[in-house]
Amino acid sequence: MAKRKRYTRRKKKKPLNWPLILSAAVLASAAALVYLMLGSSGLSGYLPELDGVISAAREIWGELTAQHSRPAFSGGSGELTGEERAEVHFIDVGQGDSILIRCGGYDILIDAGENGQGEAVNAYLDKVGVDSLDLVVGTHPHSDHIGGLDTVLSAYDAAQVILPTIPEDLTPTTRTYEDVLDAVEAQGLSVTEPEPGDVYSFGEGALTILGPVSAEYDNLNDFSVVCRLDYGEVSFLFTGDMESDAEADLMEAGAFLDADILKAGHHGSSTSTSADFLDAVSPEACVIEVGEGNSYNHPHKEVVSRLEEAGCAIYRTDLDGTVVFETDGQNWAVSTGN
């Protein structure tokens, strides 16, 4: 399949941070006053006044940096101008994945983190105004991806649920997996199998199933449901925990991988986001959903280096909190710490 033409977008000029500039000016003025006082009469007669000036400067600095330490939008490809928008929320659920897509009045959830994270996902969905879910995707039956789905499905009606088809000898017998199947059944739904090439339309957006393209894996990660969201000329690629074997199969199958924003596979593990795969996707930005201080040492340094060398902006939930992308179909912007 032919590689999509890359679009050159206007880069938004970074505004001056006037609050920080003013706070620096206050500190500089305080330092100048200290110098003048000490230069004219010495330290002993001005200790109370100096303490007051320094304390005031510190207070102003603290207030301003607390309010402006993180800009509302921390990155993007250009100024958003269109009235219609799509949003992709990479929800901070620690060492796990959970992604909310809001597009054309529809709400799509991909994964819901580990067992015990379902309530946190529900709280986030409630905060942003989700009433029901038009599509739920459990990328693969590992607990850090589907552990919270039963809790979510108990709180929100879902129109359709996609889970990968797993060979009988690899089908999990865990309580976590059974709970999710029970929650789907409790809604009167049956599981939809992911078929590469299937397209789900949501207003102006389209979610296309790309993988898995093989049933011959011996690793549950490689059975991850892989899908891409296209909204106008902006695209997102969601990879679950897909590892390098499945990445190679997707490329060999001619899957349309080129995307603006990539969700790094397997939390930034060295098993995923191979050099060839990254070249095929050629993203402008990448999100790594990962838990702070995790025992797996995710993301692995070689993957981070690979992304940096590719000129890719990196966002991490362990450092940035929940990461939210917004696009008008031509440009995209990202905010962090939501």
Side-chain angles (χ1 to χ4, degrees):
M1 183 176 291
K3 189 176 178 66
R4 190 185 67 178
K5 178 182 177 181
R6 301 294 291 176
Y7 288 82
T8 301
R9 304 186 176 96
R10 295 193 317 272
K11 299 298 181 181
K12 189 175 182 180
K13 292 183 179 179
K14 189 174 181 181
L16 295 175
N17 193 329
W18 286 110
L20 289 181
I21 292 173
L22 291 174
S23 64
V26 169
L27 289 178
S29 298
L33 183 59
V34 169
Y35 176 81
L36 291 173
M37 286 180 170
L38 290 179
S40 59
S41 301
L43 177 65
S44 59
Y46 289 93
L47 283 177
E49 290 83 358
L50 291 178
D51 285 342
V53 169
I54 293 171
S55 296
R58 285 176 176 170
E59 184 176 349
I60 293 171
W61 175 264
E63 289 178 357
L64 290 173
T65 54
Q67 294 172 10
H68 300 279
S69 58
R70 187 183 295 279
F73 286 97
S74 57
S77 67
E79 185 176 359
L80 302 185
T81 57
E83 292 183 4
E84 297 296 324
R85 306 284 174 85
E87 300 172 2
V88 179
H89 303 238
F90 294 88
I91 305 170
D92 180 11
V93 289
Q95 184 66 16
D97 276 17
S98 187
I99 302 163
L100 171 67
I101 301 170
R102 313 202 76 187
C103 182
Y106 297 90
D107 292 310
I108 304 100
L109 184 70
I110 302 176
D111 291 335
E114 183 61 84
N115 287 301
Q117 288 290 341
E119 290 296 344
V121 174
N122 284 348
Y124 189 84
L125 298 182
D126 183 62
K127 182 181 77 169
V128 299
V130 172
D131 295 318
S132 61
L133 295 166
D134 298 283
L135 178 65
V136 173
V137 179
T139 57
H140 65 294
H142 278 156
S143 61
D144 58 334
H145 289 252
I146 65 164
L149 275 184
D150 60 323
T151 302
V152 173
L153 290 171
S154 296
Y156 292 89
D157 289 336
Q160 193 169 5
V161 178
I162 295 176
L163 294 172
T165 303
I166 306 296
E168 185 175 352
D169 61 332
L170 290 178
T171 299
T173 58
T174 61
R175 177 64 180 271
T176 294
Y177 189 46
E178 294 297 328
D179 285 347
V180 173
L181 296 179
D182 289 345
V184 174
E185 184 178 355
Q187 290 217 22
L189 301 173
S190 58
V191 171
T192 299
E193 298 180 2
E195 292 289 341
D198 281 357
V199 179
Y200 297 83
S201 296
F202 300 102
E204 297 299 316
L207 190 75
T208 303
I209 304 298
L210 300 182
V213 295
S214 172
E216 302 300 322
Y217 302 118
D218 57 8
N219 180 348
L220 283 178
N221 287 338
D222 283 331
F223 285 98
S224 290
V225 177
V226 179
C227 51
R228 61 176 288 124
L229 172 70
D230 288 282
Y231 189 82
E233 300 297 339
V234 177
S235 52
F236 298 78
L237 183 63
F238 309 105
T239 58
D241 276 357
M242 175 179 60
E243 299 187 5
S244 57
D245 285 346
E247 291 176 354
D249 288 341
L250 272 180
M251 290 185 285
E252 185 176 349
F256 187 14
L257 298 174
D258 184 68
D260 299 290
I261 293 93
L262 168 68
K263 200 291 295 186
H266 202 186
H267 319 289
S269 168
S270 59
T271 61
S272 307
T273 320
S274 65
D276 287 344
F277 183 76
L278 183 59
D279 183 62
V281 179
S282 62
E284 297 173 6
C286 178
V287 180
I288 303 174
E289 293 212 86
V290 63
E292 183 178 2
N294 67 86
S295 60
Y296 306 99
N297 293 319
H298 291 159
H300 290 156
K301 60 183 181 181
E302 54 265 49
V303 173
V304 174
S305 296
R306 193 175 300 145
L307 291 168
E308 290 174 342
E309 290 171 3
C312 188
I314 303 172
Y315 299 91
R316 296 169 45 168
T317 54
D318 61 334
L319 302 179
D320 298 310
T322 293
V323 180
V324 179
F325 285 80
E326 186 177 8
T327 177
D328 59 6
Q330 293 295 323
N331 298 298
W332 56 266
V334 57
S335 62
T336 56
N338 295 276

mmCIF file of all heavy atoms in Angstrom, residues 28-63:
data_model
loop_
_atom_site.group_PDB
_atom_site.id
_atom_site.type_symbol
_atom_site.label_atom_id
_atom_site.label_comp_id
_atom_site.label_asym_id
_atom_site.label_seq_id
_atom_site.Cartn_x
_atom_site.Cartn_y
_atom_site.Cartn_z
ATOM 1 N N ALA A 28 15.102 40.223 40.364
ATOM 2 C CA ALA A 28 16.246 41.054 39.989
ATOM 3 C C ALA A 28 16.191 42.388 40.722
ATOM 4 O O ALA A 28 17.217 42.906 41.195
ATOM 5 C CB ALA A 28 16.245 41.278 38.476
ATOM 6 N N SER A 29 14.988 42.953 40.857
ATOM 7 C CA SER A 29 14.841 44.214 41.590
ATOM 8 C C SER A 29 15.207 44.042 43.053
ATOM 9 O O SER A 29 15.856 44.903 43.658
ATOM 10 C CB SER A 29 13.397 44.709 41.463
ATOM 11 O OG SER A 29 13.068 44.971 40.122
ATOM 12 N N ALA A 30 14.801 42.917 43.619
ATOM 13 C CA ALA A 30 15.138 42.653 45.020
ATOM 14 C C ALA A 30 16.649 42.543 45.195
ATOM 15 O O ALA A 30 17.230 43.065 46.160
ATOM 16 C CB ALA A 30 14.451 41.371 45.490
ATOM 17 N N ALA A 31 17.291 41.858 44.246
ATOM 18 C CA ALA A 31 18.743 41.711 44.332
ATOM 19 C C ALA A 31 19.433 43.069 44.218
ATOM 20 O O ALA A 31 20.406 43.359 44.934
ATOM 21 C CB ALA A 31 19.237 40.771 43.231
ATOM 22 N N ALA A 32 18.911 43.937 43.325
ATOM 23 C CA ALA A 32 19.495 45.270 43.179
ATOM 24 C C ALA A 32 19.323 46.082 44.453
ATOM 25 O O ALA A 32 20.237 46.801 44.884
ATOM 26 C CB ALA A 32 18.836 45.991 41.999
ATOM 27 N N LEU A 33 18.165 45.963 45.092
ATOM 28 C CA LEU A 33 17.923 46.689 46.346
ATOM 29 C C LEU A 33 18.858 46.208 47.438
ATOM 30 O O LEU A 33 19.400 47.009 48.215
ATOM 31 C CB LEU A 33 16.458 46.496 46.758
ATOM 32 C CG LEU A 33 16.006 47.241 48.015
ATOM 33 C CD1 LEU A 33 16.215 48.747 47.848
ATOM 34 C CD2 LEU A 33 14.546 46.937 48.320
ATOM 35 N N VAL A 34 19.059 44.906 47.497
ATOM 36 C CA VAL A 34 20.002 44.355 48.484
ATOM 37 C C VAL A 34 21.388 44.933 48.266
ATOM 38 O O VAL A 34 22.078 45.351 49.203
ATOM 39 C CB VAL A 34 20.037 42.809 48.383
ATOM 40 C CG1 VAL A 34 21.193 42.251 49.188
ATOM 41 C CG2 VAL A 34 18.720 42.230 48.888
ATOM 42 N N TYR A 35 21.795 44.977 47.026
ATOM 43 C CA TYR A 35 23.125 45.495 46.710
ATOM 44 C C TYR A 35 23.262 46.953 47.136
ATOM 45 O O TYR A 35 24.264 47.365 47.742
ATOM 46 C CB TYR A 35 23.392 45.362 45.211
ATOM 47 C CG TYR A 35 24.708 45.970 44.778
ATOM 48 C CD1 TYR A 35 25.893 45.266 44.938
ATOM 49 C CD2 TYR A 35 24.758 47.253 44.223
ATOM 50 C CE1 TYR A 35 27.098 45.819 44.551
ATOM 51 C CE2 TYR A 35 25.960 47.814 43.849
ATOM 52 C CZ TYR A 35 27.133 47.100 44.014
ATOM 53 O OH TYR A 35 28.319 47.652 43.643
ATOM 54 N N LEU A 36 22.244 47.772 46.836
ATOM 55 C CA LEU A 36 22.309 49.187 47.199
ATOM 56 C C LEU A 36 22.341 49.389 48.707
ATOM 57 O O LEU A 36 23.078 50.221 49.235
ATOM 58 C CB LEU A 36 21.110 49.931 46.597
ATOM 59 C CG LEU A 36 21.111 50.076 45.071
ATOM 60 C CD1 LEU A 36 19.798 50.678 44.591
ATOM 61 C CD2 LEU A 36 22.286 50.948 44.616
ATOM 62 N N MET A 37 21.535 48.615 49.419
ATOM 63 C CA MET A 37 21.511 48.740 50.877
ATOM 64 C C MET A 37 22.845 48.355 51.491
ATOM 65 O O MET A 37 23.394 49.051 52.341
ATOM 66 C CB MET A 37 20.404 47.853 51.459
ATOM 67 C CG MET A 37 18.997 48.405 51.247
ATOM 68 S SD MET A 37 17.768 47.294 51.952
ATOM 69 C CE MET A 37 16.303 48.327 51.824
ATOM 70 N N LEU A 38 23.356 47.224 51.023
ATOM 71 C CA LEU A 38 24.624 46.767 51.590
ATOM 72 C C LEU A 38 25.753 47.709 51.209
ATOM 73 O O LEU A 38 26.658 47.993 52.005
ATOM 74 C CB LEU A 38 24.935 45.349 51.101
ATOM 75 C CG LEU A 38 24.032 44.235 51.653
ATOM 76 C CD1 LEU A 38 24.442 42.904 51.051
ATOM 77 C CD2 LEU A 38 24.110 44.178 53.166
ATOM 78 N N GLY A 39 25.688 48.235 49.987
ATOM 79 C CA GLY A 39 26.760 49.098 49.526
ATOM 80 C C GLY A 39 26.802 50.428 50.263
ATOM 81 O O GLY A 39 27.850 51.029 50.410
ATOM 82 N N SER A 40 25.664 50.923 50.713
ATOM 83 C CA SER A 40 25.635 52.246 51.333
ATOM 84 C C SER A 40 25.863 52.218 52.824
ATOM 85 O O SER A 40 26.556 53.071 53.375
ATOM 86 C CB SER A 40 24.284 52.918 51.042
ATOM 87 O OG SER A 40 23.231 52.104 51.550
ATOM 88 N N SER A 41 25.306 51.230 53.545
ATOM 89 C CA SER A 41 25.390 51.303 55.001
ATOM 90 C C SER A 41 25.750 49.993 55.666
ATOM 91 O O SER A 41 25.748 49.926 56.895
ATOM 92 C CB SER A 41 24.037 51.778 55.561
ATOM 93 O OG SER A 41 23.706 53.026 55.027
ATOM 94 N N GLY A 42 25.971 48.949 54.915
ATOM 95 C CA GLY A 42 26.311 47.686 55.551
ATOM 96 C C GLY A 42 25.079 46.889 55.910
ATOM 97 O O GLY A 42 23.944 47.346 55.828
ATOM 98 N N LEU A 43 25.290 45.658 56.360
ATOM 99 C CA LEU A 43 24.217 44.712 56.578
ATOM 100 C C LEU A 43 23.457 44.938 57.873
ATOM 101 O O LEU A 43 22.240 44.807 57.923
ATOM 102 C CB LEU A 43 24.804 43.280 56.549
ATOM 103 C CG LEU A 43 23.847 42.123 56.841
ATOM 104 C CD1 LEU A 43 22.801 42.061 55.755
ATOM 105 C CD2 LEU A 43 24.623 40.824 56.949
ATOM 106 N N SER A 44 24.112 45.316 58.938
ATOM 107 C CA SER A 44 23.536 45.248 60.284
ATOM 108 C C SER A 44 22.277 46.077 60.436
ATOM 109 O O SER A 44 21.331 45.664 61.110
ATOM 110 C CB SER A 44 24.575 45.702 61.321
ATOM 111 O OG SER A 44 24.985 47.028 61.040
ATOM 112 N N GLY A 45 22.175 47.224 59.808
ATOM 113 C CA GLY A 45 21.016 48.074 60.011
ATOM 114 C C GLY A 45 19.832 47.734 59.141
ATOM 115 O O GLY A 45 18.771 48.351 59.275
ATOM 116 N N TYR A 46 19.955 46.742 58.255
ATOM 117 C CA TYR A 46 18.876 46.506 57.299
ATOM 118 C C TYR A 46 18.365 45.073 57.289
ATOM 119 O O TYR A 46 17.658 44.675 56.380
ATOM 120 C CB TYR A 46 19.367 46.861 55.881
ATOM 121 C CG TYR A 46 19.531 48.352 55.686
ATOM 122 C CD1 TYR A 46 20.770 48.945 55.923
ATOM 123 C CD2 TYR A 46 18.448 49.137 55.292
ATOM 124 C CE1 TYR A 46 20.922 50.307 55.752
ATOM 125 C CE2 TYR A 46 18.600 50.494 55.120
ATOM 126 C CZ TYR A 46 19.846 51.082 55.355
ATOM 127 O OH TYR A 46 19.981 52.438 55.183
ATOM 128 N N LEU A 47 18.740 44.285 58.317
ATOM 129 C CA LEU A 47 18.303 42.893 58.332
ATOM 130 C C LEU A 47 16.780 42.732 58.244
ATOM 131 O O LEU A 47 16.284 41.918 57.463
ATOM 132 C CB LEU A 47 18.846 42.179 59.577
ATOM 133 C CG LEU A 47 20.331 41.797 59.501
ATOM 134 C CD1 LEU A 47 20.759 41.173 60.816
ATOM 135 C CD2 LEU A 47 20.592 40.840 58.355
ATOM 136 N N PRO A 48 15.976 43.484 59.020
ATOM 137 C CA PRO A 48 14.518 43.315 58.907
ATOM 138 C C PRO A 48 14.005 43.653 57.513
ATOM 139 O O PRO A 48 13.182 42.928 56.948
ATOM 140 C CB PRO A 48 13.971 44.292 59.948
ATOM 141 C CG PRO A 48 15.088 44.485 60.918
ATOM 142 C CD PRO A 48 16.339 44.444 60.091
ATOM 143 N N GLU A 49 14.487 44.767 56.951
ATOM 144 C CA GLU A 49 14.031 45.158 55.627
ATOM 145 C C GLU A 49 14.432 44.130 54.569
ATOM 146 O O GLU A 49 13.658 43.805 53.675
ATOM 147 C CB GLU A 49 14.611 46.530 55.264
ATOM 148 C CG GLU A 49 14.020 47.679 56.071
ATOM 149 C CD GLU A 49 14.713 47.834 57.430
ATOM 150 O OE1 GLU A 49 15.609 47.025 57.727
ATOM 151 O OE2 GLU A 49 14.347 48.755 58.157
ATOM 152 N N LEU A 50 15.664 43.624 54.667
ATOM 153 C CA LEU A 50 16.139 42.641 53.694
ATOM 154 C C LEU A 50 15.340 41.359 53.779
ATOM 155 O O LEU A 50 14.971 40.763 52.753
ATOM 156 C CB LEU A 50 17.620 42.353 53.922
ATOM 157 C CG LEU A 50 18.583 43.495 53.588
ATOM 158 C CD1 LEU A 50 19.996 43.082 53.909
ATOM 159 C CD2 LEU A 50 18.443 43.880 52.131
ATOM 160 N N ASP A 51 15.056 40.921 55.010
ATOM 161 C CA ASP A 51 14.254 39.701 55.163
ATOM 162 C C ASP A 51 12.883 39.875 54.520
ATOM 163 O O ASP A 51 12.354 38.971 53.876
ATOM 164 C CB ASP A 51 14.087 39.368 56.654
ATOM 165 C CG ASP A 51 15.363 38.790 57.256
ATOM 166 O OD1 ASP A 51 16.223 38.350 56.469
ATOM 167 O OD2 ASP A 51 15.474 38.789 58.496
ATOM 168 N N GLY A 52 12.298 41.063 54.680
ATOM 169 C CA GLY A 52 10.988 41.313 54.092
ATOM 170 C C GLY A 52 11.018 41.294 52.579
ATOM 171 O O GLY A 52 10.129 40.732 51.929
ATOM 172 N N VAL A 53 12.037 41.928 52.001
ATOM 173 C CA VAL A 53 12.158 41.957 50.547
ATOM 174 C C VAL A 53 12.343 40.557 49.995
ATOM 175 O O VAL A 53 11.684 40.150 49.027
ATOM 176 C CB VAL A 53 13.342 42.861 50.128
ATOM 177 C CG1 VAL A 53 13.641 42.692 48.642
ATOM 178 C CG2 VAL A 53 13.033 44.311 50.455
ATOM 179 N N ILE A 54 13.230 39.775 50.605
ATOM 180 C CA ILE A 54 13.522 38.423 50.123
ATOM 181 C C ILE A 54 12.296 37.527 50.262
ATOM 182 O O ILE A 54 11.951 36.760 49.367
ATOM 183 C CB ILE A 54 14.724 37.830 50.868
ATOM 184 C CG1 ILE A 54 15.988 38.620 50.502
ATOM 185 C CG2 ILE A 54 14.904 36.362 50.529
ATOM 186 C CD1 ILE A 54 17.200 38.263 51.330
ATOM 187 N N SER A 55 11.601 37.639 51.418
ATOM 188 C CA SER A 55 10.402 36.815 51.621
ATOM 189 C C SER A 55 9.322 37.145 50.600
ATOM 190 O O SER A 55 8.656 36.256 50.058
ATOM 191 C CB SER A 55 9.860 37.027 53.044
ATOM 192 O OG SER A 55 10.790 36.578 54.006
ATOM 193 N N ALA A 56 9.137 38.447 50.339
ATOM 194 C CA ALA A 56 8.130 38.859 49.359
ATOM 195 C C ALA A 56 8.473 38.339 47.974
ATOM 196 O O ALA A 56 7.602 37.867 47.235
ATOM 197 C CB ALA A 56 8.002 40.377 49.340
ATOM 198 N N ALA A 57 9.740 38.429 47.605
ATOM 199 C CA ALA A 57 10.155 37.952 46.282
ATOM 200 C C ALA A 57 9.938 36.452 46.150
ATOM 201 O O ALA A 57 9.462 35.965 45.124
ATOM 202 C CB ALA A 57 11.632 38.298 46.052
ATOM 203 N N ARG A 58 10.271 35.713 47.217
ATOM 204 C CA ARG A 58 10.073 34.263 47.180
ATOM 205 C C ARG A 58 8.593 33.912 47.061
ATOM 206 O O ARG A 58 8.200 32.985 46.349
ATOM 207 C CB ARG A 58 10.659 33.627 48.442
ATOM 208 C CG ARG A 58 12.182 33.549 48.434
ATOM 209 C CD ARG A 58 12.696 33.010 49.745
ATOM 210 N NE ARG A 58 14.144 32.832 49.717
ATOM 211 C CZ ARG A 58 14.882 32.562 50.798
ATOM 212 N NH1 ARG A 58 14.303 32.451 51.978
ATOM 213 N NH2 ARG A 58 16.192 32.423 50.688
ATOM 214 N N GLU A 59 7.745 34.661 47.778
ATOM 215 C CA GLU A 59 6.310 34.393 47.726
ATOM 216 C C GLU A 59 5.758 34.639 46.333
ATOM 217 O O GLU A 59 4.976 33.836 45.805
ATOM 218 C CB GLU A 59 5.588 35.280 48.743
ATOM 219 C CG GLU A 59 4.086 34.996 48.812
ATOM 220 C CD GLU A 59 3.416 35.822 49.888
ATOM 221 O OE1 GLU A 59 4.124 36.441 50.700
ATOM 222 O OE2 GLU A 59 2.176 35.850 49.904
ATOM 223 N N ILE A 60 6.159 35.756 45.722
ATOM 224 C CA ILE A 60 5.697 36.058 44.362
ATOM 225 C C ILE A 60 6.172 34.980 43.391
ATOM 226 O O ILE A 60 5.420 34.493 42.552
ATOM 227 C CB ILE A 60 6.204 37.445 43.912
ATOM 228 C CG1 ILE A 60 5.522 38.533 44.758
ATOM 229 C CG2 ILE A 60 5.936 37.680 42.424
ATOM 230 C CD1 ILE A 60 6.115 39.912 44.545
ATOM 231 N N TRP A 61 7.433 34.603 43.504
ATOM 232 C CA TRP A 61 7.987 33.564 42.628
ATOM 233 C C TRP A 61 7.224 32.251 42.779
ATOM 234 O O TRP A 61 6.860 31.596 41.804
ATOM 235 C CB TRP A 61 9.460 33.359 42.960
ATOM 236 C CG TRP A 61 10.087 32.219 42.204
ATOM 237 C CD1 TRP A 61 10.265 30.945 42.622
ATOM 238 C CD2 TRP A 61 10.607 32.260 40.882
ATOM 239 N NE1 TRP A 61 10.858 30.191 41.661
ATOM 240 C CE2 TRP A 61 11.092 30.976 40.572
ATOM 241 C CE3 TRP A 61 10.733 33.278 39.925
ATOM 242 C CZ2 TRP A 61 11.664 30.675 39.364
ATOM 243 C CZ3 TRP A 61 11.311 32.959 38.706
ATOM 244 C CH2 TRP A 61 11.768 31.672 38.439
ATOM 245 N N GLY A 62 6.953 31.857 44.020
ATOM 246 C CA GLY A 62 6.246 30.604 44.251
ATOM 247 C C GLY A 62 4.849 30.595 43.670
ATOM 248 O O GLY A 62 4.422 29.627 43.043
ATOM 249 N N GLU A 63 4.114 31.704 43.863
ATOM 250 C CA GLU A 63 2.758 31.780 43.353
ATOM 251 C C GLU A 63 2.735 31.731 41.830
ATOM 252 O O GLU A 63 1.938 31.008 41.215
ATOM 253 C CB GLU A 63 2.091 33.066 43.827
ATOM 254 C CG GLU A 63 1.773 33.069 45.323
ATOM 255 C CD GLU A 63 1.160 34.379 45.759
ATOM 256 O OE1 GLU A 63 1.041 35.279 44.890
ATOM 257 O OE2 GLU A 63 0.799 34.500 46.933
#
